[in-house]
Amino acid sequence: MKKIEFFKEGLKNLKAVGAFIPTSKYASQAMIKHIDFQEAKIIVEYGAGDGVITKHILKAMRPDAKLLAFEINPVFCEQLRAIEDDRLVVIEDSAEKLGEYLAQYGATKTDFILSALPLVSLPKELGKRILDTSWEYLAWGGNYIQINYSTMAKKLYKHTFGNVDVDFVPRNMPPAFISVSRKE
Ligand SMILES: C[S@@+](CC[C@H](N)C(=O)[O-])C[C@H]1O[C@@H](n2cnc3c(N)ncnc32)[C@H](O)[C@@H]1O
């Protein structure tokens, strides 16, 4: 997808999209380095957008693994469906329904969750439900990996998972913070 089209979706749905520019390859790599690709069989991505992080995940994933990508914007879902990879399942629905879709794909837990959801601009209750659901369905030892443009939501991850580490990635527009919480 062209950057201008992403920008237009950002303008149309500012609170839900929460950005005007897709995540950079530097920030994408800073997120995916927290996934153990040798082991991961089910990976979940929230707010996949036009698939910029999705493509990095698919490149590193095992041939027998599955990536469940949640995205509510139909224009972005069309872009995601155009990625021809049998391991990718595009779910045009809200991230809070993770449990329902895991069951549909024969799984009870996910090994890793990556999220580019704009948790700071989403309704507070929705953000809380998504984090609680993530804790419930993340396997023990798995990571919840979230990109943000501030550290405002850090306390939410700490509250839900009991721990959080934050990396700063200056080579992103705007500069990004990658929060990683482990279910332990
Ligand atoms: C900041 S954009 C990230 C897009 C892309 N992953 C990237 O990193 O450039 C956030 C995305 O989250 C999606 N989104 C917002 N609320 C959502 C929800 N409840 N469930 C799934 N996706 C959601 C938006 O439509 C948007 O595409």
Side-chain angles (χ1 to χ4, degrees):
M1 178 183 240
K2 290 195 182 124
K3 283 197 174 141
I4 185 72
E5 292 170 54
F6 189 99
F7 184 82
K8 278 189 199 158
E9 289 310 305
L11 269 188
K12 271 198 276 173
N13 314 287
L14 185 54
K15 283 203 167 167
V17 176
F20 295 115
I21 298 174
T23 298
S24 69
K25 71 171 179 214
Y26 306 102
S28 300
Q29 278 156 1
M31 291 179 84
I32 71 165
K33 76 176 184 193
H34 298 285
I35 298 180
D36 178 354
F37 284 106
Q38 305 281 351
E39 294 297 326
K41 286 271 191 76
I42 301 259
I43 301 173
V44 166
E45 183 185 4
Y46 296 156
D50 65 349
V52 65
I53 305 172
T54 317
K55 289 176 190 160
H56 285 275
I57 303 170
L58 289 168
K59 236 185 241 169
M61 246 170 63
R62 290 166 56 130
D64 61 342
K66 280 260 175 263
L67 172 58
L68 307 191
F70 287 80
E71 176 52 61
I72 53 168
N73 180 313
V75 175
F76 288 148
C77 284
E78 213 174 293
Q79 298 288 317
L80 290 167
R81 288 191 195 101
I83 301 174
E84 290 188 3
D85 192 313
D86 292 343
R87 299 168 301 166
L88 172 64
V89 180
V90 178
I91 299 172
E92 193 169 339
D93 209 340
S94 179
E96 68 196 301
K97 298 206 187 144
L98 172 62
E100 193 181 302
Y101 286 96
L102 279 175
Q104 206 168 308
Y105 289 92
T108 51
K109 298 280 179 197
T110 167
D111 299 310
F112 292 89
I113 300 175
L114 290 96
S115 167
L117 294 175
L119 280 182
V120 173
S121 60
L122 291 183
K124 216 171 159 187
E125 272 314 304
L126 173 62
K128 187 175 173 342
R129 276 202 305 280
I130 291 173
L131 287 177
D132 288 346
T133 301
S134 302
W135 190 88
E136 185 179 349
Y137 290 101
L138 187 60
W140 292 105
N143 287 333
Y144 177 90
I145 306 151
Q146 170 80 48
I147 182 166
N148 286 117
Y149 307 124
S150 75
T151 52
M152 269 169 74
K154 186 180 165 188
K155 58 180 181 303
L156 293 177
Y157 315 131
K158 177 97 196 213
H159 177 77
T160 309
F161 293 92
N163 63 85
V164 60
D165 282 326
V166 183
D167 279 349
F168 178 59
V169 183
R171 294 177 85 176
N172 191 72
M173 189 58 88
F177 295 89
I178 311 297
S179 299
V180 183
S181 296
R182 190 173 167 83
K183 181 163 167 180
E184 52 190 18

